[in-house]
Amino acid sequence: MKMTRLIVLFLSLALAVAGCAPGGVGTTSDGTRLYRIGGSSPEKVQYRMLDSVNALRRARGAQVVELDSRLNAAAATHSRDMSIQNRPWHFGSDGSSPVDRVERAGYPGRLTGEAISETYETELETLGAWIDQDDTRAIIVDPEAQDMGFAWFQEDNGKIWWTLIMGTKAIPQG
């Protein structure tokens, strides 16, 4: 697990040095660390996360995943909904489950898992926290996963609601 955390931290540092961050890191008046996501290119954040997830998956011997626009849409819907509910959990304000949201978004495959977070941290710091937890790490490196959706909603106060969804194109028969 320490090696995985080091990979994520190394990727985060490399990206920061390269100047790829579309936002910036600062602090609030009470000293809370604040990461602002710039509005100009959300794709950069999604592809940074995809590259980092795939590096972790390769290190575990799992196939790489691809971004899927339908899973991105389901993740964006849930991130905004968590903000409205003001709580990080897997059920929508309408009672929807992750499976329901993926189906509504038109994803033709099967959900393999969802990871969520409420934080002021960057996407890569959030990924590092997910990798440190057995349940969310299992979702991220699940060998069945073929597709990934990733989105967020940032409130005016800086709080970010992250949602990562993994899916597989194959629907088991039986």
Side-chain angles (χ1 to χ4, degrees), residues 60-98:
R60 300 258 178 178
Q63 69 180 351
V64 297
V65 293
E66 298 176 354
L67 275 179
D68 183 278
S69 61
R70 295 159 293 200
L71 294 180
N72 286 344
T77 298
H78 191 56
S79 292
R80 180 176 286 280
D81 193 45
M82 285 190 297
S83 171
I84 291 167
Q85 295 180 74
N86 196 32
R87 63 178 169 178
W89 75 322
H90 294 282
F91 294 94
S93 56
D94 62 355
S96 62
S97 71

Short mmCIF file of all heavy atoms in Angstrom, two decimals, residues 60-98:
data_model
loop_
_atom_site.label_atom_id
_atom_site.label_comp_id
_atom_site.label_asym_id
_atom_site.label_seq_id
_atom_site.Cartn_x
_atom_site.Cartn_y
_atom_site.Cartn_z
N ARG A 60 -0.93 -3.23 -10.57
CA ARG A 60 -1.62 -4.39 -9.98
C ARG A 60 -1.92 -5.48 -11.00
O ARG A 60 -2.59 -6.45 -10.70
CB ARG A 60 -2.93 -3.94 -9.34
CG ARG A 60 -2.76 -2.92 -8.26
CD ARG A 60 -2.89 -3.56 -6.96
NE ARG A 60 -2.67 -2.59 -5.91
CZ ARG A 60 -2.78 -2.90 -4.66
NH1 ARG A 60 -3.14 -4.10 -4.31
NH2 ARG A 60 -2.54 -1.99 -3.74
N GLY A 61 -1.48 -5.28 -12.25
CA GLY A 61 -1.69 -6.29 -13.28
C GLY A 61 -3.08 -6.26 -13.91
O GLY A 61 -3.47 -7.21 -14.59
N ALA A 62 -3.83 -5.20 -13.71
CA ALA A 62 -5.18 -5.07 -14.28
C ALA A 62 -5.11 -4.30 -15.59
O ALA A 62 -4.22 -3.47 -15.79
CB ALA A 62 -6.11 -4.37 -13.30
N GLN A 63 -6.06 -4.58 -16.47
CA GLN A 63 -6.13 -3.84 -17.74
C GLN A 63 -6.45 -2.37 -17.49
O GLN A 63 -7.06 -2.04 -16.47
CB GLN A 63 -7.18 -4.46 -18.65
CG GLN A 63 -8.61 -4.26 -18.16
CD GLN A 63 -9.65 -4.89 -19.08
OE1 GLN A 63 -9.33 -5.33 -20.17
NE2 GLN A 63 -10.89 -4.92 -18.64
N VAL A 64 -6.06 -1.52 -18.41
CA VAL A 64 -6.38 -0.10 -18.29
C VAL A 64 -7.87 0.09 -18.58
O VAL A 64 -8.51 -0.73 -19.23
CB VAL A 64 -5.52 0.77 -19.22
CG1 VAL A 64 -4.05 0.65 -18.84
CG2 VAL A 64 -5.75 0.45 -20.67
N VAL A 65 -8.41 1.20 -18.09
CA VAL A 65 -9.81 1.56 -18.34
C VAL A 65 -9.84 2.80 -19.23
O VAL A 65 -8.84 3.51 -19.36
CB VAL A 65 -10.58 1.81 -17.03
CG1 VAL A 65 -10.72 0.53 -16.22
CG2 VAL A 65 -9.93 2.90 -16.19
N GLU A 66 -11.00 3.03 -19.83
CA GLU A 66 -11.21 4.20 -20.67
C GLU A 66 -12.28 5.08 -20.06
O GLU A 66 -13.20 4.57 -19.41
CB GLU A 66 -11.68 3.76 -22.07
CG GLU A 66 -10.70 2.92 -22.82
CD GLU A 66 -11.26 2.45 -24.16
OE1 GLU A 66 -12.45 2.68 -24.44
OE2 GLU A 66 -10.48 1.85 -24.92
N LEU A 67 -12.18 6.38 -20.31
CA LEU A 67 -13.25 7.28 -19.87
C LEU A 67 -14.48 7.02 -20.72
O LEU A 67 -14.39 6.83 -21.93
CB LEU A 67 -12.84 8.74 -20.04
CG LEU A 67 -12.06 9.38 -18.91
CD1 LEU A 67 -11.72 10.82 -19.26
CD2 LEU A 67 -12.79 9.32 -17.59
N ASP A 68 -15.63 7.00 -20.08
CA ASP A 68 -16.90 6.83 -20.78
C ASP A 68 -17.77 8.04 -20.47
O ASP A 68 -17.99 8.36 -19.30
CB ASP A 68 -17.58 5.54 -20.31
CG ASP A 68 -18.86 5.28 -21.06
OD1 ASP A 68 -19.90 5.87 -20.67
OD2 ASP A 68 -18.86 4.51 -22.03
N SER A 69 -18.25 8.72 -21.50
CA SER A 69 -19.02 9.95 -21.32
C SER A 69 -20.31 9.71 -20.52
O SER A 69 -20.74 10.58 -19.77
CB SER A 69 -19.34 10.59 -22.67
OG SER A 69 -20.11 9.72 -23.46
N ARG A 70 -20.91 8.54 -20.66
CA ARG A 70 -22.14 8.25 -19.91
C ARG A 70 -21.84 8.08 -18.43
O ARG A 70 -22.60 8.55 -17.58
CB ARG A 70 -22.83 7.02 -20.50
CG ARG A 70 -23.32 7.28 -21.94
CD ARG A 70 -23.51 6.01 -22.69
NE ARG A 70 -22.21 5.36 -22.91
CZ ARG A 70 -21.98 4.45 -23.83
NH1 ARG A 70 -22.95 4.05 -24.61
NH2 ARG A 70 -20.79 3.91 -23.96
N LEU A 71 -20.72 7.43 -18.13
CA LEU A 71 -20.34 7.29 -16.72
C LEU A 71 -19.91 8.64 -16.15
O LEU A 71 -20.17 8.93 -14.98
CB LEU A 71 -19.24 6.24 -16.56
CG LEU A 71 -19.63 4.80 -16.89
CD1 LEU A 71 -18.45 3.86 -16.69
CD2 LEU A 71 -20.83 4.35 -16.07
N ASN A 72 -19.25 9.47 -16.97
CA ASN A 72 -18.92 10.83 -16.53
C ASN A 72 -20.20 11.60 -16.17
O ASN A 72 -20.24 12.31 -15.16
CB ASN A 72 -18.18 11.60 -17.62
CG ASN A 72 -16.74 11.17 -17.80
OD1 ASN A 72 -16.16 10.51 -16.96
ND2 ASN A 72 -16.17 11.53 -18.94
N ALA A 73 -21.23 11.46 -17.00
CA ALA A 73 -22.50 12.15 -16.75
C ALA A 73 -23.15 11.66 -15.47
O ALA A 73 -23.65 12.46 -14.67
CB ALA A 73 -23.44 11.97 -17.94
N ALA A 74 -23.14 10.35 -15.24
CA ALA A 74 -23.71 9.80 -14.01
C ALA A 74 -22.93 10.30 -12.79
O ALA A 74 -23.52 10.64 -11.75
CB ALA A 74 -23.70 8.27 -14.06
N ALA A 75 -21.60 10.38 -12.91
CA ALA A 75 -20.76 10.87 -11.82
C ALA A 75 -21.02 12.35 -11.55
O ALA A 75 -21.11 12.78 -10.38
CB ALA A 75 -19.28 10.64 -12.14
N ALA A 76 -21.18 13.15 -12.60
CA ALA A 76 -21.45 14.58 -12.42
C ALA A 76 -22.79 14.80 -11.74
O ALA A 76 -22.91 15.65 -10.84
CB ALA A 76 -21.42 15.28 -13.78
N THR A 77 -23.79 14.06 -12.15
CA THR A 77 -25.12 14.16 -11.54
C THR A 77 -25.06 13.85 -10.05
O THR A 77 -25.62 14.56 -9.23
CB THR A 77 -26.11 13.21 -12.24
OG1 THR A 77 -26.22 13.59 -13.61
CG2 THR A 77 -27.47 13.21 -11.58
N HIS A 78 -24.32 12.79 -9.72
CA HIS A 78 -24.26 12.41 -8.30
C HIS A 78 -23.44 13.39 -7.48
O HIS A 78 -23.80 13.69 -6.34
CB HIS A 78 -23.73 10.99 -8.15
CG HIS A 78 -23.90 10.48 -6.76
ND1 HIS A 78 -25.14 10.45 -6.13
CD2 HIS A 78 -23.01 10.04 -5.84
CE1 HIS A 78 -24.99 9.99 -4.90
NE2 HIS A 78 -23.71 9.74 -4.70
N SER A 79 -22.36 13.91 -8.04
CA SER A 79 -21.55 14.90 -7.30
C SER A 79 -22.38 16.12 -6.93
O SER A 79 -22.35 16.59 -5.79
CB SER A 79 -20.33 15.31 -8.13
OG SER A 79 -19.45 14.23 -8.27
N ARG A 80 -23.14 16.63 -7.88
CA ARG A 80 -24.00 17.78 -7.62
C ARG A 80 -25.08 17.42 -6.58
O ARG A 80 -25.37 18.20 -5.67
CB ARG A 80 -24.65 18.28 -8.90
CG ARG A 80 -25.56 19.49 -8.68
CD ARG A 80 -26.13 20.02 -9.98
NE ARG A 80 -25.17 20.75 -10.76
CZ ARG A 80 -24.81 22.01 -10.54
NH1 ARG A 80 -25.32 22.68 -9.53
NH2 ARG A 80 -23.94 22.63 -11.30
N ASP A 81 -25.64 16.24 -6.71
CA ASP A 81 -26.70 15.82 -5.79
C ASP A 81 -26.17 15.66 -4.36
O ASP A 81 -26.85 16.02 -3.40
CB ASP A 81 -27.34 14.52 -6.28
CG ASP A 81 -28.63 14.20 -5.55
OD1 ASP A 81 -29.47 15.12 -5.37
OD2 ASP A 81 -28.82 13.04 -5.16
N MET A 82 -24.95 15.14 -4.21
CA MET A 82 -24.37 15.03 -2.86
C MET A 82 -24.23 16.42 -2.24
O MET A 82 -24.48 16.60 -1.05
CB MET A 82 -23.02 14.32 -2.89
CG MET A 82 -23.11 12.83 -3.09
SD MET A 82 -21.52 11.97 -2.84
CE MET A 82 -20.50 12.67 -4.15
N SER A 83 -23.84 17.39 -3.05
CA SER A 83 -23.71 18.76 -2.56
C SER A 83 -25.06 19.29 -2.09
O SER A 83 -25.15 19.90 -1.01
CB SER A 83 -23.14 19.67 -3.65
OG SER A 83 -23.19 21.02 -3.27
N ILE A 84 -26.09 19.05 -2.87
CA ILE A 84 -27.44 19.50 -2.50
C ILE A 84 -27.88 18.85 -1.19
O ILE A 84 -28.45 19.50 -0.32
CB ILE A 84 -28.44 19.20 -3.63
CG1 ILE A 84 -28.14 20.09 -4.84
CG2 ILE A 84 -29.88 19.37 -3.17
CD1 ILE A 84 -28.85 19.68 -6.12
N GLN A 85 -27.56 17.56 -1.04
CA GLN A 85 -27.93 16.83 0.18
C GLN A 85 -26.99 17.15 1.35
O GLN A 85 -27.30 16.84 2.49
CB GLN A 85 -27.88 15.32 -0.07
CG GLN A 85 -28.89 14.83 -1.07
CD GLN A 85 -28.77 13.34 -1.25
OE1 GLN A 85 -29.18 12.58 -0.37
NE2 GLN A 85 -28.18 12.92 -2.36
N ASN A 86 -25.83 17.71 1.01
CA ASN A 86 -24.78 18.02 1.99
C ASN A 86 -24.34 16.80 2.78
O ASN A 86 -24.14 16.84 3.99
CB ASN A 86 -25.21 19.15 2.95
CG ASN A 86 -24.01 19.73 3.68
OD1 ASN A 86 -22.91 19.78 3.14
ND2 ASN A 86 -24.23 20.16 4.90
N ARG A 87 -24.18 15.69 2.06
CA ARG A 87 -23.63 14.48 2.68
C ARG A 87 -23.08 13.56 1.60
O ARG A 87 -23.68 13.40 0.54
CB ARG A 87 -24.65 13.75 3.53
CG ARG A 87 -25.84 13.23 2.79
CD ARG A 87 -26.76 12.48 3.74
NE ARG A 87 -28.02 12.21 3.10
CZ ARG A 87 -28.99 11.55 3.66
NH1 ARG A 87 -28.85 11.11 4.89
NH2 ARG A 87 -30.11 11.32 3.03
N PRO A 88 -21.92 12.96 1.90
CA PRO A 88 -21.35 12.02 0.95
C PRO A 88 -21.93 10.62 1.18
O PRO A 88 -21.66 9.99 2.18
CB PRO A 88 -19.85 12.05 1.29
CG PRO A 88 -19.81 12.39 2.74
CD PRO A 88 -21.02 13.24 3.01
N TRP A 89 -22.77 10.21 0.26
CA TRP A 89 -23.28 8.85 0.34
C TRP A 89 -23.70 8.41 -1.05
O TRP A 89 -23.76 9.21 -1.97
CB TRP A 89 -24.36 8.70 1.39
CG TRP A 89 -25.73 9.25 1.09
CD1 TRP A 89 -26.06 10.39 0.43
CD2 TRP A 89 -26.97 8.65 1.46
NE1 TRP A 89 -27.42 10.55 0.38
CE2 TRP A 89 -28.00 9.49 1.00
CE3 TRP A 89 -27.31 7.49 2.14
CZ2 TRP A 89 -29.35 9.20 1.20
CZ3 TRP A 89 -28.65 7.21 2.34
CH2 TRP A 89 -29.64 8.05 1.87
N HIS A 90 -23.98 7.13 -1.20
CA HIS A 90 -24.16 6.55 -2.51
C HIS A 90 -25.58 6.63 -3.06
O HIS A 90 -25.83 6.19 -4.17
CB HIS A 90 -23.68 5.09 -2.51
CG HIS A 90 -22.21 4.98 -2.30
ND1 HIS A 90 -21.29 5.20 -3.30
CD2 HIS A 90 -21.49 4.70 -1.18
CE1 HIS A 90 -20.06 5.04 -2.82
NE2 HIS A 90 -20.16 4.74 -1.54
N PHE A 91 -26.50 7.21 -2.31
CA PHE A 91 -27.88 7.28 -2.78
C PHE A 91 -28.28 8.71 -3.12
O PHE A 91 -27.93 9.64 -2.42
CB PHE A 91 -28.83 6.67 -1.74
CG PHE A 91 -28.59 5.20 -1.59
CD1 PHE A 91 -27.73 4.71 -0.63
CD2 PHE A 91 -29.17 4.31 -2.48
CE1 PHE A 91 -27.48 3.36 -0.52
CE2 PHE A 91 -28.92 2.95 -2.39
CZ PHE A 91 -28.07 2.47 -1.41
N GLY A 92 -29.01 8.85 -4.20
CA GLY A 92 -29.45 10.16 -4.65
C GLY A 92 -30.60 10.68 -3.82
O GLY A 92 -31.26 9.93 -3.10
N SER A 93 -30.86 11.96 -3.94
CA SER A 93 -31.97 12.58 -3.19
C SER A 93 -33.31 12.01 -3.61
O SER A 93 -34.28 12.08 -2.86
CB SER A 93 -31.95 14.10 -3.38
OG SER A 93 -32.01 14.43 -4.76
N ASP A 94 -33.37 11.39 -4.78
CA ASP A 94 -34.59 10.74 -5.25
C ASP A 94 -34.62 9.25 -4.89
O ASP A 94 -35.48 8.51 -5.36
CB ASP A 94 -34.75 10.92 -6.76
CG ASP A 94 -33.62 10.27 -7.55
OD1 ASP A 94 -32.65 9.75 -6.94
OD2 ASP A 94 -33.70 10.29 -8.79
N GLY A 95 -33.66 8.80 -4.09
CA GLY A 95 -33.59 7.40 -3.70
C GLY A 95 -32.82 6.53 -4.67
O GLY A 95 -32.70 5.32 -4.48
N SER A 96 -32.27 7.12 -5.73
CA SER A 96 -31.56 6.34 -6.74
C SER A 96 -30.26 5.75 -6.19
O SER A 96 -29.58 6.35 -5.36
CB SER A 96 -31.24 7.21 -7.96
OG SER A 96 -30.40 8.28 -7.60
N SER A 97 -29.96 4.57 -6.69
CA SER A 97 -28.71 3.89 -6.35
C SER A 97 -27.68 4.17 -7.45
O SER A 97 -28.04 4.68 -8.52
CB SER A 97 -28.96 2.39 -6.25
OG SER A 97 -29.18 1.85 -7.56
N PRO A 98 -26.42 3.80 -7.24
CA PRO A 98 -25.45 3.94 -8.32
C PRO A 98 -25.87 3.17 -9.58
O PRO A 98 -25.69 3.67 -10.69
CB PRO A 98 -24.16 3.36 -7.71
CG PRO A 98 -24.32 3.56 -6.24
CD PRO A 98 -25.79 3.39 -5.98
#
